[in-house]
Amino acid sequence: MDKIRNEHLDALFEAVLKLKTVDECYSFFADLCTVSELKSLSQRLEVAVMLKNGHIYNDIAAKTGASTATISRVNRCINYGENGYNLVIERMNERTEK
């Protein structure tokens, strides 16, 4: 992560942390990203959740439309990455369990 860390990314992440509602996120990300970029990001999260729930590549590809290359990349991040997917999925699960 250190190879991409810089003050501009820090500022972006600090800005995201200032958002308080889903509607605020929609507004900010609609201005920040293209529709295609947002769909790609949300697709990757959906793939990660399905992988963590034990789904196989073919099922994930059929349900999400993600390529096997995308599924493989997400899987690699889950297993060998910076632990970001795991952290977020764990916190999402905590919210739904309450």
Side-chain angles (χ1 to χ4, degrees), residues 59-93:
D59 292 342
I60 296 169
K63 180 165 189 318
T64 66
S67 68
T68 55
T70 295
I71 297 167
S72 179
R73 181 185 183 285
V74 171
N75 193 47
R76 206 169 34 256
C77 289
I78 287 171
N79 292 308
Y80 307 108
E82 299 287 331
N83 205 40
Y85 281 121
N86 295 316
L87 176 67
V88 166
I89 292 168
E90 180 180 306
R91 288 187 181 166
M92 289 169 59
N93 288 337

Side-chain angles (χ1 to χ4, degrees), residues 11-64:
L12 172 63
F13 298 146
E14 290 291 335
V16 170
L17 291 171
K18 302 290 184 201
L19 301 170
K20 295 181 180 169
T21 67
V22 171
D23 285 340
E24 287 180 358
C25 289
Y26 268 100
S27 295
F28 179 68
F29 282 97
D31 288 346
L32 182 66
C33 301
T34 65
V35 171
S36 178
E37 290 168 334
L38 288 171
K39 286 182 178 181
S40 292
L41 292 170
S42 66
Q43 181 187 64
R44 289 180 198 154
L45 181 57
E46 184 179 8
V47 166
V49 169
M50 291 183 75
L51 285 167
K52 293 291 287 181
N53 287 331
H55 293 269
I56 61 171
Y57 278 36
N58 289 341
D59 292 342
I60 296 169
K63 180 165 189 318
T64 66

